Amino acid sequence: QQQVKQSPQSLIVQKGGISIINCAYENTAFDYFPWYQQFPGKGPALLIAIRPDVSEKKEGRFTISFNKSAKQFSLHIMDSQPGDSATYFCAASMDGTSYGKLTFGQGTILTVHP
Amino acid sequence: NAGVMQNPRHLVRRRGQEARLRCSPMKGHSHVYWYRQLPEEGLKFMVYLQKENIIDESGMPKERFSAEFPKEGPSILRIQQVVRGDSAAYFCASSPFGGALSEQYFGPGTRLTVT
């Protein structure tokens, strides 16, 4: 099963709040889990990524939490800012004969109110 | 170093016409992935190419769609006899090495509208 399921579909938070987006996957062969940020009219841009040998990775206000046994991972945005308003995609990929092609979640539209 | 370039940014075609989408990877990148984004959906993998070779086209529709990445020049995604269901944003991404740990850099996309 190649699907990656993402929730919620949309999220509204106040400035300074915490935004949490969740993803679940089925294929245990996935070994790379990136998050992408996309602004309207632009292509996705890599935000942060994690491999399954660690449970958490933090870069500035962005943190990925990874639960290998539950096959779930999530993005936490601390101190959310209006400039964070965008669509966020989780993704998964694997090496070998999959050549690193990305399987994306459905996306979450984040709106941060000032 | 310029990013990934795609042109045209917007393309309008009538049903039955051909659409040609171009992607110039970042300098030094020889791996290109094409993805399609339908309205309000995530991106779906279409094809992975290296210079002069199609490596994985498992996401490409069996008919009307083709892709190439010649030794010189951009990668091209070609859609023959377009139908309304082909209306979508098409993104290419380039990578220096290919594989899961090699970051993919996305272009701004080509938004295809079929009337």
Side-chain angles (χ1 to χ4, degrees):
Chain A
Q1 182 58 269
Q2 296 292 323
Q3 283 186 330
V4 176
K5 295 183 179 180
Q6 183 173 345
S7 63
Q9 195 171 5
S10 61
L11 180 61
I12 299 174
V13 300
Q14 294 297 316
K15 179 182 175 181
I18 302 174
S19 304
I20 302 174
I21 305 171
N22 301 298
C23 285
Y25 63 98
E26 291 294 325
N27 190 340
T28 56
F30 285 137
D31 57 9
Y32 179 67
F33 301 89
W35 283 88
Y36 284 84
Q37 180 188 56
Q38 184 180 29
F39 293 104
K42 305 291 186 183
L46 180 66
L47 196 59
I48 187 173
I50 198 169
R51 294 207 70 183
D53 51 351
V54 298
S55 60
E56 185 175 282
K57 183 175 181 180
K58 183 176 181 179
E59 290 185 1
R61 296 184 295 109
F62 301 91
T63 301
I64 299 179
S65 296
F66 187 84
N67 186 329
K68 188 174 181 178
S69 61
K71 293 185 285 186
Q72 295 176 348
F73 58 111
S74 60
L75 176 69
H76 296 235
I77 306 174
M78 312 300 287
D79 187 26
S80 298
Q81 300 295 313
D84 297 331
S85 297
T87 300
Y88 292 81
F89 294 98
C90 62
S93 69
M94 66 184 94
D95 263 321
T97 55
S98 288
Y99 307 108
K101 65 187 176 189
L102 293 163
T103 299
F104 283 88
Q106 297 91 329
T108 296
I109 301 172
L110 172 64
T111 303
V112 181
H113 285 155
Chain B
N1 188 7
V4 177
M5 298 173 65
Q6 289 188 250
N7 65 81
R9 294 291 308 276
H10 300 274
L11 182 61
V12 179
R13 285 287 179 265
R14 293 197 177 116
R15 281 178 296 170
Q17 291 185 319
E18 178 180 287
R20 281 185 179 240
L21 289 60
R22 294 174 182 78
C23 169
S24 296
M26 291 180 69
K27 186 176 180 180
H29 289 193
S30 58
H31 301 257
V32 167
Y33 301 80
W34 283 92
Y35 295 86
R36 176 165 65 175
Q37 184 175 31
L38 294 170
E40 307 201 5
E41 290 189 16
L43 288 80
K44 298 275 194 269
F45 167 79
M46 298 182 75
V47 62
Y48 165 53
L49 310 101
Q50 296 178 20
K51 283 283 188 181
E52 299 184 274
N53 288 298
I54 297 173
I55 306 301
D56 181 351
E57 56 183 346
S58 59
M60 289 273 272
K62 293 291 185 282
E63 298 177 351
R64 302 187 297 108
F65 286 72
S66 63
E68 63 179 14
F69 190 15
K71 185 177 181 181
E72 301 291 337
S75 175
I76 295 175
L77 180 68
R78 181 182 178 204
I79 312 172
Q80 294 179 292
Q81 299 175 332
V82 297
V83 301
R84 287 213 172 114
D86 297 331
S87 295
Y90 293 81
F91 293 94
C92 76
S94 75
S95 175
F97 305 115
L101 294 185
S102 183
E103 181 178 347
Q104 295 180 31
Y105 297 82
F106 282 80
T110 293
R111 280 146 186 87
L112 172 65
T113 302
V114 179
T115 62

